[in-house]
Amino acid sequence: MNPEVTLRPFDLADLDDFYAWASDDLVSVWCCFDTYTNKEDLLNFMKRFVLPHPWMRAICYYGRPVGAIVVTPHRGEAQCRGELGYMLATQYWGKGIVTKAVQLVLRTVFEDLKDIERIEALVNLENVRSQRVLEKSGFTKDGVLRKYLIHKGKVKDIVLYSFISTDPLE
Ligand SMILES: CC(C)(COP(=O)(O)OP(=O)(O)OC[C@H]1O[C@@H](n2cnc3c(N)ncnc32)[C@H](O)[C@@H]1OP(=O)(O)O)[C@@H](O)C(=O)NCCC(=O)NCCS
């Protein structure tokens, strides 16, 4: 595992670094949030959602936050699974950073979130970069969920990927 990529919890002092990717249309177009246009809104989001989240981490590249990765546990009869999400500042794309971050997640998350046996990721069919990250990380492509959800006003086909706690790590 390359030591230049590390994960750690967020802190409000990460606001400026977080703004770098949260304010970028090239990132937000694939995510469920709208592009942030001011830091105050982002600060509120960090206080309300990021800091209290049960498993959200900063992706650090040589110690500096350059992205975020999150596993959201489901509840009730779905509490055996968690949903993976991630994003990276555009200037760092293509260096294998998120693939390494996903591999770090898989090494720790099943210990941290005891109820979870399956991590799943729902990826827009057009988001080939993200699909490649999951394939390189040992996820299984479970299939395509046709017309599955509405993303930014359009109904989308979604590729469903999963990783089970007993699957081999890359
Ligand atoms: C998706 C994202 C997280 C990938 O992060 P990354 O660190 O650049 O990913 P990696 O470098 O680990 O791997 C990217 C892979 O996609 C490939 N790739 C890049 N552009 C591609 C394209 N247009 N078509 C096909 N493959 C492409 C790269 O070649 C690489 O694969 P390889 O190692 O086999 O060459 C990043 O682009 C991002 O933040 N996107 C916006 C947010 C997002 O999409 N989040 C996920 C929502 S499900």
Side-chain angles (χ1 to χ4, degrees):
M1 193 58 54
N2 292 354
E4 68 262 27
V5 178
T6 51
L7 305 181
R8 65 155 171 81
F10 278 104
D11 189 88
L12 289 183
D14 298 322
L15 176 65
D16 288 348
D17 288 324
F18 205 123
Y19 193 71
W21 65 84
S23 62
D24 187 339
D25 290 337
L26 291 174
V27 174
S28 66
V29 69
W30 301 111
C31 301
C32 56
F33 63 89
D34 291 327
T35 310
Y36 280 84
T37 54
N38 70 76
K39 287 188 185 170
E40 199 182 327
D41 286 349
L42 183 61
L43 182 64
N44 288 333
F45 171 74
M46 288 180 78
K47 286 180 183 167
R48 209 181 58 249
F49 181 81
V50 176
L51 299 193
H53 193 283
W55 213 98
M56 186 167 191
R57 300 285 185 266
I59 302 171
C60 297
Y61 188 56
Y62 292 104
R64 181 176 186 171
V66 294
I69 193 156
V70 57
V71 175
T72 302
H74 288 290
R75 295 196 180 149
E77 65 181 13
Q79 70 177 11
C80 56
R81 62 181 197 256
E83 187 171 331
L84 176 70
Y86 40 69
M87 63 203 76
L88 186 73
T90 47
Q91 71 190 97
Y92 297 97
W93 286 12
K95 298 178 187 295
I97 293 174
V98 171
T99 300
K100 284 168 197 147
V102 170
Q103 290 164 358
L104 289 173
V105 169
L106 297 177
R107 282 174 165 73
T108 55
V109 75
F110 295 112
E111 274 301 306
D112 294 347
L113 302 172
K114 297 280 187 214
D115 290 334
I116 289 184
E117 294 184 37
R118 167 188 167 99
I119 302 289
E120 59 186 24
L122 282 72
V123 184
N124 197 313
L125 185 61
E126 295 140 34
N127 193 349
V128 285
R129 279 192 191 89
S130 182
Q131 290 167 51
R132 185 76 194 113
V133 164
L134 295 164
E135 279 157 18
K136 286 193 290 179
S137 302
F139 275 68
T140 296
K141 182 176 173 177
D142 289 336
V144 176
L145 304 168
R146 295 177 301 157
K147 307 291 178 207
Y148 190 66
L149 52 78
I150 300 167
H151 181 74
K152 315 240 163 171
K154 291 195 175 146
V155 178
K156 292 291 180 183
D157 292 341
I158 296 295
V159 191
L160 176 64
Y161 284 89
S162 66
F163 189 97
I164 306 299
S165 54
T166 51
D167 282 347
L169 294 163
E170 291 296 305

